[in-house]
Amino acid sequence: MKRTRRLRTTKALRNMVREHYVHPSDLIYPIFVIEGEDIKNPVDSMPGIYQYSIDRMDEELERIWNAGVRGVLIFGIPAQKDEVGSGAYDPHGIVQEAIRYIKMNYPGMIVIADICLCEYTSHGHCGLICGEHIMNDETLPLLAKMAVTCAQAGADIVAPSDMMDGRVKAIRDALDNEGLYEVPIMSYSAKYASAYYGPFRDAAESAPAFGDRKTYQMDPANAKEALIEVEADLLEGADMIIIKPAMAYLDIMRMISEKTNVPIAAYNVSGEYSMVKAAAANGWIDERRIVMENLTGMKRAGAKMIITYHALDAAGWIREELREY
Protein backbone atom coordinates (compact mmCIF):
# COMPACT_ATOMS: atom_id res chain seq x y z
CA MET A 1 0.00 0.00 0.00
CA LYS A 2 1.25 3.47 -0.84
CA ARG A 3 0.74 5.36 2.42
CA THR A 4 0.59 9.00 1.30
CA ARG A 5 -0.74 9.99 4.74
CA ARG A 6 2.69 9.42 6.25
CA LEU A 7 3.69 12.94 5.17
CA ARG A 8 0.61 14.51 6.78
CA THR A 9 0.90 13.19 10.32
CA THR A 10 2.03 16.44 12.02
CA LYS A 11 1.85 20.12 11.28
CA ALA A 12 5.65 20.38 11.25
CA LEU A 13 5.90 17.57 8.70
CA ARG A 14 3.17 19.08 6.53
CA ASN A 15 5.02 22.39 6.54
CA MET A 16 8.28 20.67 5.63
CA VAL A 17 6.90 19.11 2.46
CA ARG A 18 4.56 21.94 1.46
CA GLU A 19 4.96 22.86 -2.21
CA HIS A 20 3.63 26.44 -2.26
CA TYR A 21 3.76 29.29 0.24
CA VAL A 22 2.29 32.77 0.34
CA HIS A 23 4.70 35.38 1.74
CA PRO A 24 3.94 39.06 2.51
CA SER A 25 6.44 40.01 -0.22
CA ASP A 26 4.13 38.31 -2.75
CA LEU A 27 1.25 40.64 -1.91
CA ILE A 28 0.27 43.93 -3.53
CA TYR A 29 -2.35 46.11 -1.87
CA PRO A 30 -4.64 48.40 -3.89
CA ILE A 31 -5.21 51.96 -2.60
CA PHE A 32 -7.90 54.41 -3.67
CA VAL A 33 -6.77 58.04 -3.44
CA ILE A 34 -9.36 60.80 -3.80
CA GLU A 35 -8.85 64.48 -4.46
CA GLY A 36 -9.65 66.75 -1.51
CA GLU A 37 -8.68 67.09 2.14
CA ASP A 38 -9.41 65.18 5.34
CA ILE A 39 -11.28 62.42 3.48
CA LYS A 40 -11.64 58.82 4.57
CA ASN A 41 -14.70 57.46 2.78
CA PRO A 42 -15.75 53.87 3.48
CA VAL A 43 -16.56 51.77 0.43
CA ASP A 44 -19.84 50.20 1.49
CA SER A 45 -19.57 47.24 -0.87
CA MET A 46 -16.01 46.47 0.28
CA PRO A 47 -15.85 46.19 4.09
CA GLY A 48 -12.59 47.57 5.45
CA ILE A 49 -11.68 49.45 2.27
CA TYR A 50 -11.64 53.27 2.08
CA GLN A 51 -10.99 56.15 -0.25
CA TYR A 52 -8.26 58.36 1.23
CA SER A 53 -7.23 61.91 0.50
CA ILE A 54 -3.47 62.35 0.40
CA ASP A 55 -3.39 64.05 3.81
CA ARG A 56 -5.03 60.95 5.34
CA MET A 57 -3.01 58.31 3.49
CA ASP A 58 -0.51 57.82 6.30
CA GLU A 59 -3.16 55.91 8.26
CA GLU A 60 -3.20 53.29 5.54
CA LEU A 61 0.45 53.48 4.51
CA GLU A 62 1.64 52.84 8.06
CA ARG A 63 -0.59 49.77 8.29
CA ILE A 64 0.75 48.51 4.96
CA TRP A 65 4.37 49.06 5.92
CA ASN A 66 3.98 47.52 9.38
CA ALA A 67 2.25 44.49 7.86
CA GLY A 68 5.35 43.79 5.78
CA VAL A 69 3.57 44.41 2.47
CA ARG A 70 5.87 46.33 0.15
CA GLY A 71 3.80 46.76 -3.01
CA VAL A 72 0.84 49.10 -3.57
CA LEU A 73 -1.32 49.63 -6.64
CA ILE A 74 -2.64 53.19 -6.88
CA PHE A 75 -6.03 54.25 -8.26
CA GLY A 76 -6.90 57.96 -8.40
CA ILE A 77 -10.31 59.60 -8.10
CA PRO A 78 -10.25 63.20 -9.40
CA ALA A 79 -12.51 66.05 -8.33
CA GLN A 80 -13.46 66.75 -11.94
CA LYS A 81 -13.94 64.42 -14.90
CA ASP A 82 -14.20 65.22 -18.60
CA GLU A 83 -14.67 63.54 -21.95
CA VAL A 84 -10.95 62.99 -22.50
CA GLY A 85 -9.92 62.03 -18.96
CA SER A 86 -7.46 64.89 -18.65
CA GLY A 87 -6.93 64.28 -14.95
CA ALA A 88 -5.31 60.95 -15.77
CA TYR A 89 -2.26 62.52 -17.42
CA ASP A 90 -2.07 65.82 -15.56
CA PRO A 91 1.48 65.94 -14.12
CA HIS A 92 -0.07 67.22 -10.89
CA GLY A 93 -3.16 65.01 -10.95
CA ILE A 94 -4.34 63.12 -7.91
CA VAL A 95 -2.56 59.87 -8.72
CA GLN A 96 0.71 61.60 -9.63
CA GLU A 97 0.69 63.59 -6.38
CA ALA A 98 -0.14 60.46 -4.40
CA ILE A 99 2.82 58.68 -5.99
CA ARG A 100 5.13 61.56 -5.06
CA TYR A 101 3.87 61.50 -1.47
CA ILE A 102 4.38 57.77 -1.06
CA LYS A 103 7.86 57.75 -2.58
CA MET A 104 8.92 60.72 -0.46
CA ASN A 105 7.67 59.25 2.81
CA TYR A 106 7.99 55.51 2.15
CA PRO A 107 10.90 55.21 -0.29
CA GLY A 108 11.08 51.45 0.20
CA MET A 109 7.52 50.95 -1.04
CA ILE A 110 7.06 49.64 -4.58
CA VAL A 111 4.47 51.91 -6.18
CA ILE A 112 2.52 50.57 -9.15
CA ALA A 113 0.45 53.07 -11.12
CA ASP A 114 -2.70 51.73 -12.74
CA ILE A 115 -2.82 53.23 -16.24
CA CYS A 116 -6.38 53.72 -17.48
CA LEU A 117 -8.78 56.56 -18.22
CA CYS A 118 -11.97 55.12 -16.69
CA GLU A 119 -11.71 56.90 -13.33
CA TYR A 120 -11.10 60.21 -15.11
CA THR A 121 -13.62 60.23 -17.96
CA SER A 122 -17.13 61.64 -17.58
CA HIS A 123 -18.48 58.61 -19.47
CA GLY A 124 -16.58 56.04 -17.39
CA HIS A 125 -15.03 54.14 -20.29
CA CYS A 126 -11.37 53.21 -20.52
CA GLY A 127 -10.83 55.00 -23.83
CA LEU A 128 -11.99 58.00 -25.82
CA ILE A 129 -15.46 57.74 -27.33
CA CYS A 130 -17.18 58.71 -30.54
CA GLY A 131 -20.90 58.41 -29.93
CA GLU A 132 -20.99 55.06 -28.14
CA HIS A 133 -17.92 53.63 -29.88
CA ILE A 134 -14.79 53.29 -27.78
CA MET A 135 -11.89 54.42 -29.95
CA ASN A 136 -8.69 52.41 -29.77
CA ASP A 137 -5.85 54.18 -31.58
CA GLU A 138 -6.90 57.67 -30.50
CA THR A 139 -6.68 56.56 -26.86
CA LEU A 140 -3.11 55.27 -27.01
CA PRO A 141 -1.28 58.63 -26.81
CA LEU A 142 -3.24 59.55 -23.68
CA LEU A 143 -2.42 56.26 -21.97
CA ALA A 144 1.23 56.76 -22.89
CA LYS A 145 1.15 60.28 -21.49
CA MET A 146 -0.37 59.03 -18.23
CA ALA A 147 2.31 56.37 -17.92
CA VAL A 148 5.05 58.94 -18.46
CA THR A 149 3.67 61.41 -15.90
CA CYS A 150 3.25 58.64 -13.34
CA ALA A 151 6.79 57.38 -13.92
CA GLN A 152 8.14 60.92 -13.68
CA ALA A 153 6.28 61.29 -10.38
CA GLY A 154 8.17 58.27 -9.08
CA ALA A 155 6.10 55.18 -9.93
CA ASP A 156 8.28 52.09 -9.90
CA ILE A 157 6.00 50.18 -12.28
CA VAL A 158 3.22 51.20 -14.68
CA ALA A 159 0.29 48.83 -15.19
CA PRO A 160 -1.98 49.47 -18.19
CA SER A 161 -5.44 48.05 -17.47
CA ASP A 162 -7.45 49.58 -20.32
CA MET A 163 -7.24 46.63 -22.78
CA MET A 164 -6.75 48.83 -25.85
CA ASP A 165 -4.82 47.06 -28.61
CA GLY A 166 -1.24 48.27 -28.92
CA ARG A 167 -1.10 50.18 -25.66
CA VAL A 168 1.98 48.39 -24.32
CA LYS A 169 4.08 49.44 -27.32
CA ALA A 170 2.77 53.01 -27.13
CA ILE A 171 3.68 53.17 -23.43
CA ARG A 172 7.11 51.53 -23.89
CA ASP A 173 8.01 53.90 -26.70
CA ALA A 174 6.86 56.94 -24.70
CA LEU A 175 8.79 55.89 -21.59
CA ASP A 176 11.94 55.22 -23.59
CA ASN A 177 11.65 58.54 -25.41
CA GLU A 178 11.69 60.27 -22.01
CA GLY A 179 14.71 58.27 -20.84
CA LEU A 180 12.61 56.13 -18.51
CA TYR A 181 14.15 52.90 -19.76
CA GLU A 182 14.20 51.17 -16.39
CA VAL A 183 10.49 51.55 -15.59
CA PRO A 184 8.89 48.14 -16.13
CA ILE A 185 5.42 47.54 -17.55
CA MET A 186 3.09 45.18 -15.71
CA SER A 187 0.34 44.70 -18.26
CA TYR A 188 -3.19 43.56 -17.55
CA SER A 189 -2.82 41.15 -20.45
CA ALA A 190 -5.71 38.79 -19.76
CA LYS A 191 -8.42 41.02 -18.30
CA TYR A 192 -11.88 39.59 -18.67
CA ALA A 193 -15.23 41.38 -18.94
CA SER A 194 -16.24 40.07 -15.54
CA ALA A 195 -19.17 40.54 -13.18
CA TYR A 196 -16.69 40.37 -10.30
CA TYR A 197 -15.70 44.04 -10.71
CA GLY A 198 -18.87 45.63 -9.28
CA PRO A 199 -17.55 46.71 -5.86
CA PHE A 200 -14.38 48.16 -7.43
CA ARG A 201 -16.49 50.47 -9.56
CA ASP A 202 -18.03 51.82 -6.35
CA ALA A 203 -14.57 52.37 -4.87
CA ALA A 204 -13.04 53.95 -7.99
CA GLU A 205 -16.26 55.69 -9.08
CA SER A 206 -15.66 54.31 -12.56
CA ALA A 207 -18.87 52.62 -13.71
CA PRO A 208 -19.54 53.23 -17.43
CA ALA A 209 -22.32 55.73 -18.14
CA PHE A 210 -23.56 53.64 -21.06
CA GLY A 211 -23.08 50.16 -22.41
CA ASP A 212 -20.40 47.88 -21.02
CA ARG A 213 -16.75 46.98 -21.61
CA LYS A 214 -17.26 43.79 -23.59
CA THR A 215 -15.82 45.26 -26.80
CA TYR A 216 -12.39 45.66 -25.20
CA GLN A 217 -12.22 43.35 -22.19
CA MET A 218 -12.06 39.62 -22.91
CA ASP A 219 -14.96 37.19 -23.23
CA PRO A 220 -15.03 34.94 -20.10
CA ALA A 221 -15.70 31.94 -22.36
CA ASN A 222 -12.33 32.24 -24.11
CA ALA A 223 -9.08 30.66 -22.94
CA LYS A 224 -6.81 30.45 -25.99
CA GLU A 225 -7.46 34.12 -26.71
CA ALA A 226 -5.56 34.90 -23.50
CA LEU A 227 -2.42 33.47 -25.08
CA ILE A 228 -2.81 35.83 -28.02
CA GLU A 229 -3.20 38.81 -25.68
CA VAL A 230 -0.20 37.81 -23.55
CA GLU A 231 2.05 37.10 -26.53
CA ALA A 232 1.17 40.46 -28.08
CA ASP A 233 1.92 42.35 -24.87
CA LEU A 234 5.24 40.58 -24.39
CA LEU A 235 6.28 41.34 -27.96
CA GLU A 236 5.39 44.99 -27.39
CA GLY A 237 7.58 45.20 -24.29
CA ALA A 238 5.62 44.04 -21.23
CA ASP A 239 7.88 42.83 -18.41
CA MET A 240 5.16 41.26 -16.24
CA ILE A 241 1.54 40.32 -16.81
CA ILE A 242 -1.66 40.33 -14.80
CA ILE A 243 -4.50 37.82 -14.96
CA LYS A 244 -7.79 39.38 -13.83
CA PRO A 245 -9.97 38.16 -12.11
CA ALA A 246 -8.24 35.34 -10.27
CA MET A 247 -10.57 32.73 -8.81
CA ALA A 248 -12.66 31.88 -11.89
CA TYR A 249 -9.55 32.08 -14.10
CA LEU A 250 -7.04 29.81 -12.39
CA ASP A 251 -7.00 27.67 -15.52
CA ILE A 252 -5.89 30.74 -17.50
CA MET A 253 -3.17 31.40 -14.94
CA ARG A 254 -1.89 27.84 -15.14
CA MET A 255 -1.94 27.87 -18.95
CA ILE A 256 -0.07 31.18 -19.16
CA SER A 257 2.50 30.14 -16.53
CA GLU A 258 3.30 27.03 -18.57
CA LYS A 259 3.69 29.01 -21.81
CA THR A 260 5.72 32.00 -20.58
CA ASN A 261 8.68 32.73 -18.33
CA VAL A 262 7.70 36.21 -17.10
CA PRO A 263 6.33 36.97 -13.63
CA ILE A 264 2.54 36.65 -13.39
CA ALA A 265 0.35 38.62 -11.01
CA ALA A 266 -3.09 37.36 -10.06
CA TYR A 267 -5.63 40.09 -9.33
CA ASN A 268 -7.90 38.84 -6.54
CA VAL A 269 -10.62 41.34 -7.42
CA SER A 270 -13.23 43.26 -5.46
CA GLY A 271 -16.14 40.89 -6.01
CA GLU A 272 -14.07 37.94 -4.82
CA TYR A 273 -13.06 39.94 -1.75
CA SER A 274 -16.57 41.14 -0.93
CA MET A 275 -18.13 37.69 -1.25
CA VAL A 276 -15.65 36.32 1.29
CA LYS A 277 -16.25 39.28 3.60
CA ALA A 278 -20.04 38.90 3.41
CA ALA A 279 -19.96 35.17 4.07
CA ALA A 280 -17.53 35.63 6.96
CA ALA A 281 -19.69 38.39 8.49
CA ASN A 282 -22.61 35.96 8.49
CA GLY A 283 -20.56 33.25 10.16
CA TRP A 284 -20.84 30.94 7.16
CA ILE A 285 -17.11 30.49 6.58
CA ASP A 286 -13.77 30.73 8.39
CA GLU A 287 -12.40 33.91 6.78
CA ARG A 288 -8.75 33.25 7.57
CA ARG A 289 -8.78 29.71 6.20
CA ILE A 290 -10.77 30.66 3.08
CA VAL A 291 -8.54 33.63 2.23
CA MET A 292 -5.31 31.70 2.67
CA GLU A 293 -6.69 28.77 0.68
CA ASN A 294 -7.68 31.12 -2.15
CA LEU A 295 -4.30 32.89 -2.19
CA THR A 296 -2.43 29.59 -2.07
CA GLY A 297 -4.51 28.38 -5.02
CA MET A 298 -3.34 31.39 -7.01
CA LYS A 299 0.30 30.64 -6.20
CA ARG A 300 -0.24 26.99 -7.09
CA ALA A 301 -1.73 28.03 -10.44
CA GLY A 302 1.45 29.95 -11.29
CA ALA A 303 1.12 33.45 -9.82
CA LYS A 304 4.32 35.02 -8.52
CA MET A 305 2.49 38.05 -7.10
CA ILE A 306 -1.06 38.55 -5.86
CA ILE A 307 -2.91 41.87 -5.96
CA THR A 308 -5.47 41.55 -3.20
CA TYR A 309 -7.60 43.60 -0.81
CA HIS A 310 -6.93 40.84 1.75
CA ALA A 311 -3.21 41.68 1.74
CA LEU A 312 -2.95 43.25 5.18
CA ASP A 313 -5.01 40.56 6.91
CA ALA A 314 -3.15 37.82 5.06
CA ALA A 315 0.26 39.27 5.97
CA GLY A 316 -0.78 39.29 9.63
CA TRP A 317 -1.95 35.68 9.50
CA ILE A 318 1.28 34.62 7.79
CA ARG A 319 3.34 36.26 10.56
CA GLU A 320 1.25 34.50 13.20
CA GLU A 321 1.82 31.19 11.45
CA LEU A 322 5.59 31.77 11.34
CA ARG A 323 5.67 32.57 15.06
CA GLU A 324 4.05 29.21 15.78
CA TYR A 325 6.90 27.27 14.14
Side-chain angles (χ1 to χ4, degrees):
M1 183 187 297
K2 178 63 177 176
R3 295 189 181 276
T4 53
R5 289 179 57 186
R6 288 184 184 127
L7 302 184
R8 305 175 196 145
T9 53
T10 67
K11 181 176 181 180
L13 187 54
R14 291 192 298 273
N15 287 338
M16 181 179 288
V17 300
R18 182 168 291 164
E19 297 175 33
H20 298 280
Y21 285 89
V22 180
H23 188 272
S25 64
D26 301 327
L27 305 176
I28 297 167
Y29 189 58
I31 303 179
F32 299 97
V33 186
I34 190 167
E35 203 161 349
E37 295 181 354
D38 194 27
I39 298 172
K40 182 182 178 181
N41 293 333
V43 180
D44 293 339
S45 57
M46 298 179 71
I49 302 299
Y50 298 84
Q51 299 172 335
Y52 289 92
S53 54
I54 291 175
D55 62 338
R56 295 285 300 269
M57 269 205 305
D58 275 326
E59 300 173 33
E60 192 75 315
L61 294 170
E62 286 179 8
R63 289 203 312 137
I64 295 165
W65 189 261
N66 292 337
V69 174
R70 294 294 180 263
V72 292
L73 176 62
I74 306 295
F75 297 94
I77 304 157
Q80 301 293 329
K81 304 187 180 196
D82 57 36
E83 286 283 300
V84 296
S86 58
Y89 40 89
D90 180 346
H92 296 285
I94 180 60
V95 74
Q96 288 83 357
E97 293 299 337
I99 291 166
R100 287 188 182 93
Y101 183 87
I102 296 170
K103 294 305 293 184
M104 180 179 296
N105 294 282
Y106 299 84
M109 194 82 78
I110 297 172
V111 179
I112 306 167
D114 183 84
I115 304 301
C116 193
L117 301 186
C118 64
E119 297 110 288
Y120 305 90
T121 55
S122 52
H123 47 77
H125 277 285
C126 302
L128 299 180
I129 62 170
C130 180
E132 294 194 358
H133 173 67
I134 290 76
M135 298 188 292
N136 191 96
D137 296 12
E138 294 81 357
T139 301
L140 301 184
L142 303 186
L143 296 170
K145 191 174 180 181
M146 181 181 184
V148 167
T149 58
C150 288
Q152 289 172 335
D156 299 286
I157 300 169
V158 294
S161 63
D162 55 284
M163 289 300 285
M164 299 295 119
D165 294 337
R167 88 272 206 210
V168 173
K169 183 179 188 303
I171 289 170
R172 184 73 271 160
D173 287 347
L175 291 171
D176 290 353
N177 287 339
E178 293 295 328
L180 298 164
Y181 308 106
E182 295 186 359
V183 176
I185 297 173
M186 177 189 280
S187 179
Y188 290 69
S189 295
K191 180 179 179 180
Y192 284 84
S194 172
Y196 283 101
Y197 303 151
F200 172 90
R201 291 173 183 169
D202 294 338
E205 300 181 13
S206 63
F210 63 87
D212 54 40
R213 295 180 174 143
K214 293 179 181 179
T215 65
Y216 46 103
Q217 295 178 359
M218 290 180 58
D219 184 340
N222 293 354
K224 292 180 180 179
E225 185 184 5
L227 284 173
I228 298 171
E229 292 281 1
V230 168
E231 288 172 359
D233 284 359
L234 294 179
L235 285 171
E236 291 178 16
D239 302 281
M240 298 171 275
I241 60 170
I242 299 173
I243 311 297
K244 180 181 181 181
M247 294 306 300
Y249 299 87
L250 295 178
D251 62 319
I252 306 299
M253 217 171 297
R254 167 55 58 196
M255 178 180 67
I256 299 300
S257 72
E258 291 174 349
K259 298 287 186 180
T260 67
N261 294 312
V262 298
I264 296 171
Y267 199 141
N268 180 207
V269 299
S270 61
E272 296 166 339
Y273 170 87
S274 295
M275 288 193 298
V276 169
K277 285 298 209 181
N282 280 282
W284 298 335
I285 60 170
D286 181 326
E287 182 177 357
R288 175 174 176 168
R289 288 187 62 193
I290 288 284
V291 169
M292 294 311 300
E293 186 173 341
N294 287 347
L295 300 183
T296 302
M298 295 169 209
K299 290 295 295 288
R300 193 179 63 244
K304 177 65 184 76
M305 302 153 287
I306 303 172
I307 303 165
T308 179
Y309 304 94
H310 295 291
L312 305 191
D313 288 336
W317 296 329
I318 292 165
R319 288 201 312 276
E320 288 177 21
E321 183 81 10
L322 290 172
R323 284 196 293 267
E324 292 172 5
Y325 284 179

